[in-house]
Amino acid sequence: MLTLSRPSATGSRSITFALPADQVTGPVSVVGTFNDWTPGVHVLRRRSNGTASVKVSVPAGAEVRFRYLADGGVWFDDPAADLVDTQGSLLRV
């Protein structure tokens, strides 16, 4: 699940990346153009609402490429993105 905030006064938007907590059995990071594809910077944390999530701030109007990286080096995409292709997930914010 992907959730976008409204644009802020500074011209940024927050993206909340969330997965069902039962799908997250070990550490999962979201990596992409917003963090130079660096694992471990944005790790999903378990929440009381039954999800694991992390929030990232990006410039409004940006195109963000991202993928999830799970324990054991397993990469996967988010079907809720605007586009999923061989380069991963794309979200237009």
Side-chain angles (χ1 to χ4, degrees):
M1 175 172 61
L2 300 168
T3 307
L4 290 171
S5 70
R6 295 177 188 238
S8 71
T10 61
S12 65
R13 292 185 82 176
S14 292
I15 307 168
T16 301
F17 297 91
L19 299 171
D22 61 351
Q23 266 189 322
V24 181
T25 57
V28 175
S29 296
V30 62
V31 296
T33 54
F34 49 85
N35 63 11
D36 294 324
W37 296 93
T38 307
V41 174
H42 295 100
V43 178
L44 280 71
R45 304 282 183 223
R46 291 188 182 275
R47 309 293 178 197
S48 60
N49 65 359
T51 66
S53 66
V54 66
K55 191 179 288 191
V56 175
S57 182
V58 298
E63 286 193 345
V64 175
R65 284 278 182 182
F66 71 95
R67 296 192 82 195
Y68 296 104
L69 178 59
D71 200 25
V74 177
W75 292 92
F76 61 99
D77 296 304
D78 195 320
D82 295 327
L83 174 73
V84 177
D85 61 17
T86 58
Q87 296 178 25
S89 303
L90 173 72
L91 185 62
R92 295 175 185 97
V93 296

Coordinates of all heavy atoms in Angstrom, one line a residue:
M1 N 0.9 -1.2 0.0 CA 0.0 0.0 0.0 C 0.9 1.2 0.0 O 1.9 1.3 0.7 CB -0.9 0.0 1.2 CG -1.7 1.2 1.4 SD -3.0 1.2 2.7 CE -2.0 1.0 4.1
L2 N 0.6 2.2 -0.8 CA 1.3 3.4 -0.9 C 0.3 4.6 -0.6 O -0.8 4.6 -1.1 CB 1.8 3.6 -2.3 CG 2.8 2.6 -2.8 CD1 3.1 2.7 -4.3 CD2 4.1 2.7 -2.1
T3 N 0.7 5.5 0.2 CA -0.1 6.6 0.6 C 0.7 7.9 0.4 O 1.9 8.0 0.9 CB -0.5 6.6 2.1 OG1 -1.2 5.3 2.3 CG2 -1.5 7.7 2.4
L4 N 0.1 8.9 -0.3 CA 0.8 10.2 -0.5 C 0.1 11.3 0.3 O -1.1 11.3 0.4 CB 0.7 10.6 -2.0 CG 1.5 9.8 -3.0 CD1 1.1 10.1 -4.4 CD2 3.0 10.0 -2.8
S5 N 0.9 12.1 0.9 CA 0.4 13.3 1.6 C 0.1 14.4 0.6 O 0.5 14.3 -0.5 CB 1.4 13.8 2.7 OG 2.5 14.4 2.0
R6 N -0.6 15.4 1.1 CA -0.8 16.6 0.2 C 0.6 17.3 0.2 O 1.4 17.2 1.1 CB -1.8 17.5 0.9 CG -3.2 16.9 0.9 CD -4.2 17.8 1.6 NE -5.4 17.2 1.7 CZ -6.6 17.7 1.2 NH1 -6.6 18.8 0.6 NH2 -7.7 17.0 1.4
P7 N 0.8 18.1 -0.9 CA 2.0 18.9 -0.9 C 2.1 19.8 0.3 O 1.1 20.5 0.6 CB 1.9 19.6 -2.2 CG 1.0 18.9 -3.1 CD 0.0 18.3 -2.1
S8 N 3.3 19.9 0.8 CA 3.5 20.9 2.0 C 3.8 22.3 1.4 O 4.0 22.5 0.2 CB 4.7 20.4 2.8 OG 5.9 20.6 2.1
A9 N 3.9 23.2 2.3 CA 4.2 24.6 2.0 C 5.7 24.7 1.4 O 5.9 25.6 0.6 CB 4.1 25.5 3.2
T10 N 6.5 23.7 1.7 CA 7.9 23.7 1.2 C 8.0 23.0 -0.2 O 9.1 22.9 -0.7 CB 8.8 23.1 2.2 OG1 8.5 21.7 2.4 CG2 8.9 23.9 3.5
G11 N 6.9 22.5 -0.7 CA 6.9 21.8 -2.0 C 7.3 20.3 -1.9 O 7.8 19.8 -2.9
S12 N 7.2 19.7 -0.7 CA 7.5 18.3 -0.6 C 6.2 17.5 -0.3 O 5.2 18.0 0.1 CB 8.5 18.0 0.4 OG 8.0 18.3 1.7
R13 N 6.3 16.2 -0.6 CA 5.2 15.2 -0.2 C 5.8 14.1 0.5 O 6.9 13.7 0.2 CB 4.5 14.7 -1.5 CG 3.7 15.8 -2.2 CD 3.0 15.3 -3.4 NE 1.7 14.7 -2.9 CZ 0.8 14.2 -3.7 NH1 1.0 14.2 -5.0 NH2 -0.3 13.7 -3.2
S14 N 5.0 13.5 1.4 CA 5.5 12.3 2.1 C 4.8 11.1 1.4 O 3.6 11.1 1.1 CB 5.0 12.3 3.5 OG 5.7 13.3 4.2
I15 N 5.6 10.1 1.2 CA 5.1 8.8 0.8 C 5.2 7.8 1.9 O 6.3 7.7 2.5 CB 6.0 8.2 -0.4 CG1 6.1 9.2 -1.5 CG2 5.4 6.9 -0.9 CD1 7.2 8.8 -2.5
T16 N 4.1 7.1 2.2 CA 4.2 6.1 3.2 C 4.1 4.7 2.5 O 3.2 4.5 1.7 CB 3.0 6.1 4.2 OG1 3.0 7.4 4.9 CG2 3.0 5.0 5.2
F17 N 5.2 4.0 2.6 CA 5.3 2.6 2.1 C 4.9 1.7 3.1 O 5.4 1.7 4.2 CB 6.8 2.3 1.7 CG 7.3 3.3 0.6 CD1 8.0 4.4 1.0 CD2 7.2 2.9 -0.7 CE1 8.5 5.3 0.0 CE2 7.8 3.8 -1.7 CZ 8.4 4.9 -1.3
A18 N 3.9 0.9 2.9 CA 3.3 0.0 3.9 C 3.0 -1.4 3.3 O 2.6 -1.5 2.2 CB 2.1 0.5 4.5
L19 N 3.3 -2.4 4.1 CA 3.1 -3.8 3.7 C 2.3 -4.5 4.9 O 2.5 -4.1 6.1 CB 4.4 -4.6 3.5 CG 5.2 -4.1 2.3 CD1 6.6 -4.8 2.4 CD2 4.6 -4.3 1.0
P20 N 1.5 -5.5 4.6 CA 0.9 -6.2 5.7 C 2.0 -6.8 6.6 O 2.9 -7.4 6.1 CB 0.1 -7.3 5.1 CG -0.2 -6.8 3.7 CD 1.0 -6.0 3.3
A21 N 1.9 -6.6 7.9 CA 2.9 -7.1 8.9 C 3.1 -8.6 8.7 O 4.3 -9.0 8.9 CB 2.5 -6.7 10.3
D22 N 2.1 -9.4 8.4 CA 2.3 -10.8 8.3 C 3.1 -11.2 7.0 O 3.6 -12.3 6.9 CB 1.0 -11.6 8.3 CG 0.1 -11.2 7.2 OD1 0.3 -10.2 6.4 OD2 -1.0 -11.9 7.1
Q23 N 3.3 -10.2 6.1 CA 4.2 -10.5 4.9 C 5.6 -10.2 5.2 O 6.5 -10.5 4.5 CB 3.7 -9.5 3.8 CG 2.8 -10.1 2.8 CD 2.6 -9.2 1.6 OE1 2.6 -7.9 1.7 NE2 2.5 -9.7 0.4
V24 N 5.9 -9.4 6.3 CA 7.2 -9.0 6.6 C 7.8 -9.9 7.8 O 7.4 -9.7 8.9 CB 7.2 -7.5 7.1 CG1 8.6 -7.1 7.4 CG2 6.6 -6.6 6.0
T25 N 8.5 -10.9 7.4 CA 9.0 -11.9 8.4 C 10.4 -11.5 8.9 O 10.9 -12.1 9.9 CB 9.0 -13.3 7.8 OG1 9.9 -13.3 6.6 CG2 7.7 -13.8 7.4
G26 N 11.1 -10.6 8.2 CA 12.4 -10.2 8.7 C 12.6 -8.7 8.3 O 11.6 -8.1 7.9
P27 N 13.8 -8.2 8.3 CA 14.0 -6.8 7.9 C 13.6 -6.6 6.4 O 14.0 -7.4 5.6 CB 15.5 -6.6 8.2 CG 16.0 -7.7 8.9 CD 15.0 -8.8 8.7
V28 N 12.9 -5.5 6.2 CA 12.6 -5.1 4.8 C 12.9 -3.6 4.7 O 12.4 -2.8 5.5 CB 11.1 -5.3 4.4 CG1 10.8 -4.8 3.1 CG2 10.8 -6.8 4.5
S29 N 13.7 -3.2 3.7 CA 14.0 -1.8 3.4 C 13.3 -1.4 2.1 O 13.1 -2.2 1.2 CB 15.5 -1.6 3.2 OG 16.2 -1.9 4.3
V30 N 12.9 -0.1 2.0 CA 12.5 0.4 0.7 C 13.7 1.2 0.2 O 14.2 2.0 1.0 CB 11.2 1.2 0.8 CG1 11.3 2.4 1.7 CG2 10.7 1.6 -0.6
V31 N 14.1 0.9 -1.0 CA 15.3 1.6 -1.5 C 14.9 2.2 -2.9 O 14.0 1.6 -3.6 CB 16.5 0.6 -1.7 CG1 17.0 0.2 -0.3 CG2 16.2 -0.6 -2.6
G32 N 15.5 3.3 -3.2 CA 15.1 3.9 -4.5 C 15.9 5.2 -4.8 O 16.9 5.5 -4.1
T33 N 15.4 5.9 -5.7 CA 16.0 7.2 -6.1 C 16.1 8.2 -5.0 O 17.0 9.1 -5.0 CB 15.3 7.8 -7.3 OG1 13.9 7.9 -7.0 CG2 15.4 6.9 -8.5
F34 N 15.2 8.1 -4.0 CA 15.2 9.0 -2.9 C 16.3 8.8 -1.8 O 16.6 9.6 -1.0 CB 13.8 9.0 -2.2 CG 13.4 7.6 -1.9 CD1 13.8 7.0 -0.7 CD2 12.5 7.0 -2.7 CE1 13.3 5.7 -0.4 CE2 12.1 5.7 -2.5 CZ 12.5 5.1 -1.3
N35 N 16.9 7.6 -1.9 CA 18.0 7.3 -0.9 C 19.2 6.7 -1.6 O 20.0 5.9 -1.0 CB 17.5 6.5 0.2 CG 17.0 5.1 -0.2 OD1 17.2 4.6 -1.3 ND2 16.4 4.4 0.7
D36 N 19.4 7.0 -2.9 CA 20.5 6.5 -3.7 C 20.6 5.0 -3.7 O 21.7 4.4 -3.7 CB 21.8 7.1 -3.3 CG 21.9 8.6 -3.6 OD1 21.4 9.0 -4.6 OD2 22.5 9.3 -2.7
W37 N 19.4 4.3 -3.6 CA 19.4 2.8 -3.6 C 20.2 2.2 -2.5 O 20.8 1.1 -2.7 CB 19.8 2.3 -5.0 CG 18.8 2.7 -6.1 CD1 19.0 3.8 -6.9 CD2 17.6 2.1 -6.4 NE1 17.9 3.9 -7.7 CE2 17.0 2.9 -7.5 CE3 16.9 1.0 -6.0 CZ2 15.8 2.6 -8.1 CZ3 15.7 0.7 -6.6 CH2 15.2 1.5 -7.7
T38 N 20.2 2.8 -1.3 CA 21.0 2.3 -0.2 C 20.1 1.5 0.7 O 19.2 2.1 1.4 CB 21.6 3.5 0.5 OG1 22.3 4.3 -0.4 CG2 22.6 3.0 1.6
P39 N 20.4 0.2 0.9 CA 19.6 -0.6 1.8 C 19.8 -0.2 3.2 O 20.9 0.3 3.6 CB 20.1 -2.0 1.6 CG 20.8 -2.0 0.2 CD 21.3 -0.6 0.1
G40 N 18.8 -0.4 4.1 CA 18.9 -0.1 5.5 C 18.7 1.3 5.9 O 18.5 1.6 7.1
V41 N 18.5 2.3 5.0 CA 18.2 3.7 5.3 C 16.8 3.8 5.7 O 16.5 4.5 6.7 CB 18.6 4.6 4.1 CG1 18.2 6.0 4.4 CG2 20.1 4.5 3.8
H42 N 15.9 3.2 5.0 CA 14.4 3.3 5.2 C 13.9 1.9 5.5 O 13.4 1.2 4.5 CB 13.7 4.0 4.1 CG 14.1 5.4 3.9 ND1 15.0 5.8 3.0 CD2 13.7 6.5 4.6 CE1 15.2 7.1 3.1 NE2 14.4 7.6 4.0
V43 N 14.0 1.4 6.7 CA 13.5 0.1 7.1 C 12.1 0.2 7.6 O 11.7 1.1 8.4 CB 14.4 -0.4 8.2 CG1 13.9 -1.8 8.7 CG2 15.8 -0.5 7.8
L44 N 11.2 -0.7 7.1 CA 9.8 -0.8 7.5 C 9.8 -1.2 9.0 O 10.4 -2.2 9.3 CB 9.0 -1.7 6.6 CG 8.6 -1.1 5.3 CD1 9.7 -0.9 4.3 CD2 7.5 -1.9 4.6
R45 N 8.9 -0.6 9.8 CA 8.8 -0.9 11.2 C 7.3 -1.4 11.4 O 6.4 -0.8 10.8 CB 9.0 0.3 12.1 CG 10.3 1.0 11.9 CD 11.4 0.2 12.6 NE 12.7 0.9 12.4 CZ 13.8 0.3 12.2 NH1 13.9 -1.0 12.0 NH2 14.9 1.0 12.0
R46 N 7.2 -2.4 12.3 CA 5.8 -2.9 12.6 C 5.0 -1.8 13.3 O 5.5 -1.2 14.2 CB 5.9 -4.1 13.4 CG 6.5 -5.3 12.7 CD 6.4 -6.6 13.5 NE 7.0 -7.7 12.7 CZ 6.3 -8.4 11.8 NH1 5.1 -8.1 11.6 NH2 6.9 -9.4 11.2
R47 N 3.8 -1.7 12.9 CA 2.8 -0.7 13.5 C 1.7 -1.5 14.2 O 1.4 -2.6 13.9 CB 2.3 0.2 12.4 CG 3.3 0.9 11.5 CD 4.2 1.8 12.3 NE 5.2 2.4 11.4 CZ 6.2 3.0 11.8 NH1 6.5 3.2 13.0 NH2 7.1 3.5 10.9
S48 N 1.0 -0.8 15.1 CA -0.1 -1.4 15.8 C -1.4 -1.7 14.9 O -2.3 -2.4 15.3 CB -0.5 -0.5 17.0 OG -1.0 0.8 16.5
N49 N -1.4 -1.1 13.7 CA -2.5 -1.2 12.8 C -2.4 -2.5 11.9 O -3.1 -2.6 10.9 CB -2.7 0.0 11.9 CG -1.6 0.3 11.0 OD1 -0.6 -0.4 10.9 ND2 -1.7 1.3 10.2
G50 N -1.4 -3.3 12.1 CA -1.2 -4.5 11.4 C -0.4 -4.4 10.1 O -0.4 -5.3 9.3
T51 N 0.3 -3.3 10.0 CA 1.2 -3.1 8.9 C 2.7 -2.9 9.4 O 2.9 -2.7 10.5 CB 0.8 -1.8 8.0 OG1 1.1 -0.7 8.8 CG2 -0.6 -1.9 7.6
A52 N 3.6 -2.9 8.4 CA 4.9 -2.5 8.6 C 5.1 -1.4 7.6 O 4.8 -1.5 6.4 CB 5.9 -3.6 8.4
S53 N 5.6 -0.2 8.1 CA 5.7 0.9 7.2 C 6.9 1.8 7.5 O 7.5 1.7 8.5 CB 4.4 1.7 7.3 OG 4.3 2.3 8.5
V54 N 7.1 2.7 6.5 CA 8.1 3.8 6.7 C 7.7 5.0 5.8 O 7.0 4.8 4.8 CB 9.5 3.3 6.3 CG1 9.6 3.0 4.8 CG2 10.6 4.3 6.7
K55 N 8.0 6.2 6.3 CA 7.6 7.4 5.5 C 8.8 8.1 5.0 O 9.8 8.2 5.7 CB 6.9 8.3 6.5 CG 6.2 9.5 5.8 CD 5.5 10.4 6.8 CE 4.2 9.7 7.3 NZ 3.3 10.6 8.1
V56 N 8.7 8.5 3.7 CA 9.8 9.2 3.0 C 9.3 10.5 2.5 O 8.2 10.5 1.9 CB 10.4 8.3 1.9 CG1 11.4 9.0 1.1 CG2 10.9 7.0 2.5
S57 N 10.1 11.5 2.6 CA 9.7 12.8 2.0 C 10.5 13.0 0.7 O 11.7 12.8 0.6 CB 10.1 14.0 3.0 OG 9.7 15.2 2.5
V58 N 9.7 13.5 -0.4 CA 10.3 13.7 -1.7 C 9.7 15.0 -2.2 O 8.7 15.5 -1.8 CB 10.0 12.6 -2.6 CG1 10.6 11.3 -2.2 CG2 8.5 12.4 -2.9
P59 N 10.4 15.6 -3.2 CA 9.8 16.8 -3.9 C 8.5 16.5 -4.6 O 8.4 15.5 -5.3 CB 10.9 17.3 -4.9 CG 12.1 16.5 -4.5 CD 11.7 15.3 -3.8
A60 N 7.5 17.4 -4.4 CA 6.3 17.2 -5.1 C 6.5 17.3 -6.6 O 7.4 18.1 -7.1 CB 5.3 18.3 -4.7
G61 N 5.9 16.5 -7.4 CA 6.0 16.4 -8.8 C 7.1 15.5 -9.3 O 7.3 15.3 -10.5
A62 N 7.9 14.9 -8.4 CA 9.0 14.0 -8.8 C 8.4 12.6 -9.2 O 7.3 12.2 -8.9 CB 9.9 13.7 -7.6
E63 N 9.3 11.9 -10.0 CA 9.0 10.5 -10.3 C 10.0 9.7 -9.5 O 11.2 10.0 -9.5 CB 9.2 10.2 -11.8 CG 8.1 10.8 -12.7 CD 8.2 10.2 -14.1 OE1 9.2 9.7 -14.5 OE2 7.2 10.4 -14.8
V64 N 9.5 8.8 -8.7 CA 10.3 8.0 -7.8 C 10.3 6.6 -8.2 O 9.3 6.0 -8.4 CB 9.7 8.1 -6.3 CG1 10.4 7.2 -5.4 CG2 9.7 9.6 -5.9
R65 N 11.6 6.1 -8.4 CA 11.8 4.6 -8.6 C 12.1 4.0 -7.3 O 12.9 4.5 -6.5 CB 12.9 4.4 -9.6 CG 12.6 4.7 -11.0 CD 11.9 3.6 -11.6 NE 11.6 3.8 -13.0 CZ 10.9 3.0 -13.8 NH1 10.6 1.8 -13.3 NH2 10.7 3.2 -15.0
F66 N 11.6 2.8 -7.1 CA 11.9 2.1 -5.8 C 11.6 0.6 -5.9 O 10.9 0.2 -6.9 CB 11.1 2.7 -4.7 CG 9.6 2.4 -4.7 CD1 9.1 1.3 -4.0 CD2 8.7 3.1 -5.5 CE1 7.7 1.0 -4.1 CE2 7.4 2.8 -5.6 CZ 6.9 1.8 -4.9
R67 N 12.2 -0.1 -5.0 CA 11.9 -1.5 -4.8 C 12.0 -1.8 -3.3 O 12.6 -1.1 -2.6 CB 12.9 -2.4 -5.6 CG 12.8 -2.2 -7.1 CD 13.6 -3.3 -7.8 NE 12.7 -4.5 -7.9 CZ 13.1 -5.7 -8.2 NH1 14.4 -5.9 -8.5 NH2 12.3 -6.7 -8.2
Y68 N 11.5 -2.9 -2.9 CA 11.6 -3.4 -1.5 C 12.8 -4.4 -1.5 O 12.9 -5.2 -2.5 CB 10.4 -4.1 -1.0 CG 9.2 -3.1 -0.9 CD1 8.2 -3.1 -1.8 CD2 9.1 -2.2 0.2 CE1 7.1 -2.3 -1.7 CE2 8.1 -1.3 0.3 CZ 7.0 -1.4 -0.7 OH 6.0 -0.5 -0.5
L69 N 13.6 -4.4 -0.5 CA 14.6 -5.4 -0.3 C 14.4 -6.2 1.0 O 14.4 -5.6 2.1 CB 16.0 -4.8 -0.3 CG 17.2 -5.7 -0.1 CD1 17.3 -6.8 -1.1 CD2 18.5 -4.9 0.0
A70 N 14.1 -7.4 0.9 CA 13.8 -8.3 2.1 C 15.0 -9.0 2.5 O 16.0 -9.1 1.9 CB 12.6 -9.2 1.8
D71 N 14.9 -9.6 3.7 CA 15.9 -10.4 4.3 C 16.4 -11.5 3.3 O 15.6 -12.0 2.6 CB 15.4 -11.1 5.6 CG 16.5 -11.6 6.5 OD1 17.6 -11.0 6.5 OD2 16.2 -12.5 7.3
G72 N 17.7 -11.7 3.2 CA 18.2 -12.7 2.3 C 18.4 -12.2 0.9 O 18.7 -13.0 0.0
G73 N 18.3 -10.9 0.7 CA 18.6 -10.3 -0.6 C 17.4 -10.5 -1.6 O 17.7 -10.4 -2.8
V74 N 16.2 -10.7 -1.1 CA 15.1 -10.8 -2.0 C 14.5 -9.5 -2.3 O 14.1 -8.7 -1.5 CB 14.0 -11.7 -1.3 CG1 12.8 -11.9 -2.2 CG2 14.6 -13.1 -1.0
W75 N 14.4 -9.2 -3.6 CA 13.9 -7.9 -4.1 C 12.4 -8.1 -4.6 O 12.1 -9.2 -5.2 CB 14.7 -7.4 -5.3 CG 16.1 -6.9 -5.0 CD1 17.2 -7.7 -5.0 CD2 16.5 -5.6 -4.6 NE1 18.3 -6.9 -4.7 CE2 17.9 -5.6 -4.4 CE3 15.8 -4.4 -4.4 CZ2 18.6 -4.5 -4.1 CZ3 16.5 -3.3 -4.0 CH2 17.9 -3.4 -3.9
F76 N 11.6 -7.2 -4.3 CA 10.2 -7.3 -4.9 C 9.6 -5.9 -5.1 O 10.1 -4.9 -4.5 CB 9.3 -8.1 -4.0 CG 9.1 -7.7 -2.6 CD1 7.9 -7.0 -2.2 CD2 10.0 -8.0 -1.6 CE1 7.7 -6.6 -0.9 CE2 9.8 -7.6 -0.3 CZ 8.7 -6.9 0.0
D77 N 8.6 -5.8 -5.9 CA 8.0 -4.5 -6.3 C 6.6 -4.4 -5.6 O 6.1 -5.3 -5.1 CB 7.9 -4.5 -7.8 CG 9.2 -4.5 -8.5 OD1 10.0 -3.6 -8.2 OD2 9.5 -5.4 -9.3
D78 N 6.1 -3.2 -5.8 CA 4.8 -2.8 -5.2 C 3.8 -2.7 -6.3 O 3.8 -1.8 -7.1 CB 4.9 -1.5 -4.4 CG 3.7 -1.3 -3.5 OD1 2.6 -1.7 -3.9 OD2 3.9 -0.9 -2.4
P79 N 2.8 -3.6 -6.3 CA 1.8 -3.6 -7.4 C 0.9 -2.3 -7.3 O 0.2 -2.0 -8.3 CB 0.9 -4.8 -7.2 CG 1.2 -5.2 -5.8 CD 2.5 -4.7 -5.4
A80 N 0.9 -1.6 -6.2 CA 0.2 -0.3 -6.1 C 0.8 0.8 -6.8 O 0.3 1.9 -6.8 CB -0.1 0.0 -4.6
A81 N 2.1 0.7 -7.3 CA 2.8 1.7 -7.9 C 2.1 2.1 -9.2 O 1.3 1.3 -9.8 CB 4.2 1.3 -8.2
D82 N 2.4 3.3 -9.8 CA 1.9 3.7 -11.0 C 2.3 2.8 -12.2 O 1.6 2.7 -13.2 CB 2.3 5.2 -11.3 CG 1.7 6.2 -10.3 OD1 0.6 5.9 -9.8 OD2 2.4 7.2 -10.0
L83 N 3.5 2.3 -12.1 CA 4.1 1.4 -13.1 C 5.1 0.5 -12.5 O 5.8 0.9 -11.6 CB 4.8 2.3 -14.2 CG 5.5 1.5 -15.3 CD1 4.6 0.9 -16.3 CD2 6.5 2.5 -16.0
V84 N 5.0 -0.8 -12.9 CA 6.1 -1.7 -12.5 C 6.6 -2.3 -13.8 O 5.9 -2.8 -14.6 CB 5.5 -2.9 -11.6 CG1 6.6 -3.9 -11.3 CG2 4.9 -2.3 -10.3
D85 N 8.0 -2.2 -13.9 CA 8.6 -2.7 -15.1 C 10.0 -3.4 -14.7 O 10.2 -3.6 -13.5 CB 8.8 -1.7 -16.2 CG 9.7 -0.5 -15.7 OD1 10.4 -0.6 -14.7 OD2 9.6 0.6 -16.4
T86 N 10.8 -3.6 -15.6 CA 12.1 -4.3 -15.3 C 13.0 -3.4 -14.5 O 14.0 -3.9 -13.9 CB 12.9 -4.6 -16.6 OG1 13.1 -3.4 -17.4 CG2 12.1 -5.6 -17.5
Q87 N 12.8 -2.1 -14.3 CA 13.6 -1.2 -13.5 C 13.0 -1.1 -12.1 O 13.5 -0.3 -11.3 CB 13.7 0.2 -14.1 CG 14.4 0.1 -15.4 CD 14.5 1.5 -16.1 OE1 14.4 2.5 -15.4 NE2 14.6 1.5 -17.4
G88 N 11.9 -1.8 -11.8 CA 11.3 -1.7 -10.5 C 9.9 -1.0 -10.5 O 9.3 -0.9 -11.6
S89 N 9.6 -0.4 -9.4 CA 8.3 0.3 -9.3 C 8.5 1.8 -9.5 O 9.5 2.4 -9.2 CB 7.7 0.2 -7.9 OG 7.6 -1.2 -7.6
L90 N 7.5 2.5 -10.2 CA 7.6 3.9 -10.4 C 6.3 4.5 -9.8 O 5.2 4.0 -10.0 CB 7.6 4.2 -11.9 CG 7.4 5.6 -12.3 CD1 8.7 6.4 -12.0 CD2 7.1 5.8 -13.8
L91 N 6.6 5.6 -9.1 CA 5.5 6.4 -8.5 C 5.7 7.8 -8.9 O 6.7 8.4 -8.7 CB 5.5 6.2 -6.9 CG 4.4 6.9 -6.2 CD1 3.1 6.3 -6.5 CD2 4.6 6.7 -4.7
R92 N 4.6 8.4 -9.4 CA 4.6 9.9 -9.7 C 4.0 10.6 -8.6 O 2.8 10.4 -8.3 CB 3.9 10.1 -11.0 CG 4.5 9.4 -12.2 CD 3.7 9.6 -13.5 NE 4.3 8.8 -14.6 CZ 4.0 7.6 -15.0 NH1 3.0 7.0 -14.3 NH2 4.6 7.0 -15.9
V93 N 4.8 11.5 -7.9 CA 4.2 12.2 -6.8 C 4.0 13.6 -7.1 O 3.4 14.4 -6.4 CB 5.2 12.1 -5.6 CG1 5.3 10.6 -5.1 CG2 6.5 12.6 -5.8

